[in-house]
Amino acid sequence: MMCRLFTCFRVFDLCLTQKKTRMFKSGLSFCFVVPPKITAIESKPKEIKHGEKTELQWAVTGFTPGKMSIISSVQRKGEQIRQLFHWEAQDKKTFEGKTSAFSLKDLSDGRNKDASFTAQVPKCEQDKHKDGTFRVMCSITVTPDASTDNEAELTVQVKHEALNDRDTCIERIKLQVPGVAPTVTEIDLRPEIKHSEVARLSWSVTGFTPKPISIVFLLKRKGELKEKRLFHWRIPEKGGIDDEAKMGSTALTDVRDRCEEDD
């Protein structure tokens, strides 16, 4: 009996020293729930590049069995926040008898898939400290598009029955996806230039993102000190990328500022 009382008071003392721990009393025995902690979200590799897969990894650790959910969402520049994935352990029974890792329940909305983000449902396992707490190692794969995902913010929120409305268990990471510089081919002249005959100059500007770009054609004749601006074409940062542009080709805008006519 003395040993039992000593154990109860030890649990009571532990509950008092942890502000976010809730304690429940049943007769002479006490049970307590410990809220989770979330690590910072790390990208691997650290540098995020357009069109290349990057793993966004974090861990939820140190929590006792109980209803728990992990919800991830993304907010792009100028857009509303959008939920990506929702994983959950429904109640304490989910943890009972589990001696090895088990998958959380996937409550993600399949109709809300995002082209840039994919993930496997994570598994829950006993924490390495073997103190009765659990952990979840999480990972999301992002294949970013610099034109849409640069400065997008990924938010991960963890909910647990030991957390009240004032407690927060949230981590965020802002994606920095630099654009890709264009490549300009050599100017192709076909056929060769002959006096008083029309000749076509052609070249390509390729491999760049995002789409806003400006192309200026300059002419400098022999003996002249100053270049002459003949043509200026561009796709503006705003207002020039419509649904047709997203599907493929885009008509550039002909800009006449400071352009000079030439015979």
Side-chain angles (χ1 to χ4, degrees), residues 74-86:
V74 64
Q75 185 171 25
R76 295 181 170 91
K77 289 175 63 176
E79 297 183 7
Q80 294 184 340
I81 193 166
R82 177 181 182 182
Q83 188 178 115
L84 295 174
F85 306 103
H86 183 179

Side-chain angles (χ1 to χ4, degrees), residues 10-40:
R10 291 289 294 177
V11 172
F12 179 72
D13 179 64
L14 174 64
C15 292
L16 289 179
T17 59
Q18 297 188 23
K19 294 182 180 180
K20 292 184 178 180
T21 301
R22 295 182 181 178
M23 183 180 65
F24 303 92
K25 182 178 178 182
S26 177
L28 292 177
S29 63
F30 294 86
C31 61
F32 59 95
V33 289
V34 180
K37 298 178 181 178
I38 184 172
T39 63

Side-chain angles (χ1 to χ4, degrees), residues 187 215-220 227-231 258:
I187 299 175
I215 302 173
V216 179
F217 188 90
L218 303 172
L219 174 66
K220 184 178 181 182
E227 295 175 329
K228 180 187 291 186
R229 179 185 290 213
L230 298 182
F231 308 106
R258 293 182 291 163

Side-chain angles (χ1 to χ4, degrees), residues 3-241:
C3 182
R4 181 179 178 84
L5 286 173
F6 176 76
T7 302
C8 291
F9 284 123
R10 291 289 294 177
V11 172
F12 179 72
D13 179 64
L14 174 64
C15 292
L16 289 179
T17 59
Q18 297 188 23
K19 294 182 180 180
K20 292 184 178 180
T21 301
R22 295 182 181 178
M23 183 180 65
F24 303 92
K25 182 178 178 182
S26 177
L28 292 177
S29 63
F30 294 86
C31 61
F32 59 95
V33 289
V34 180
K37 298 178 181 178
I38 184 172
T39 63
I41 303 171
E42 296 184 353
S43 62
K44 296 184 179 182
K46 191 170 184 179
E47 183 179 358
I48 302 176
K49 296 182 179 181
H50 169 79
E52 297 186 11
K53 289 184 177 181
T54 299
E55 296 293 326
L56 304 177
Q57 301 177 348
W58 71 95
V60 179
T61 63
F63 60 92
T64 52
K67 185 175 182 179
M68 186 271 296
S69 61
I70 303 171
I71 302 171
S72 56
S73 56
V74 64
Q75 185 171 25
R76 295 181 170 91
K77 289 175 63 176
E79 297 183 7
Q80 294 184 340
I81 193 166
R82 177 181 182 182
Q83 188 178 115
L84 295 174
F85 306 103
H86 183 179
W87 307 311
E88 184 175 277
Q90 292 183 303
D91 49 37
K92 290 183 180 180
K93 292 182 179 180
T94 306
F95 298 82
E96 291 180 358
K98 298 294 192 301
T99 57
S100 59
F102 61 94
S103 297
L104 298 180
K105 186 173 182 179
D106 188 5
L107 299 180
S108 306
D109 187 349
R111 299 167 298 177
N112 200 32
K113 290 185 178 180
D114 190 289
S116 296
F117 298 90
T118 59
Q120 297 292 326
V121 179
K123 292 186 176 183
C124 184
E125 61 185 354
Q126 289 193 11
D127 206 312
K128 59 183 178 180
H129 300 299
K130 296 182 180 179
D131 55 359
T133 61
F134 286 77
R135 67 177 181 178
V136 182
M137 309 301 292
C138 304
S139 177
I140 290 178
T141 302
V142 56
T143 308
D145 186 326
S147 62
T148 56
D149 296 325
N150 184 41
E151 296 190 1
E153 185 174 66
L154 178 76
T155 300
V156 177
Q157 181 179 12
V158 180
K159 297 181 179 181
H160 188 275
E161 63 180 53
L163 297 170
N164 56 42
D165 294 337
R166 293 173 295 176
D167 296 327
T168 58
C169 191
I170 297 175
E171 278 294 328
R172 294 182 175 90
I173 185 172
K174 182 167 286 190
L175 307 183
Q176 300 296 334
V177 189
V180 181
T183 300
V184 183
T185 63
E186 292 185 0
I187 299 175
D188 187 18
L189 176 60
R190 295 181 184 178
E192 63 181 11
I193 296 178
K194 294 182 180 180
H195 177 70
S196 297
E197 293 185 8
V198 176
R200 182 182 296 274
L201 305 177
S202 63
W203 69 96
S204 298
V205 182
T206 63
F208 62 93
T209 189
K211 281 191 172 182
I213 192 172
S214 180
I215 302 173
V216 179
F217 188 90
L218 303 172
L219 174 66
K220 184 178 181 182
R221 289 187 170 91
K222 186 177 180 180
E224 293 181 351
L225 298 177
K226 187 179 179 181
E227 295 175 329
K228 180 187 291 186
R229 179 185 290 213
L230 298 182
F231 308 106
H232 181 189
W233 309 308
R234 72 176 181 181
I235 301 176
E237 184 173 354
K238 294 182 180 180
I241 305 179

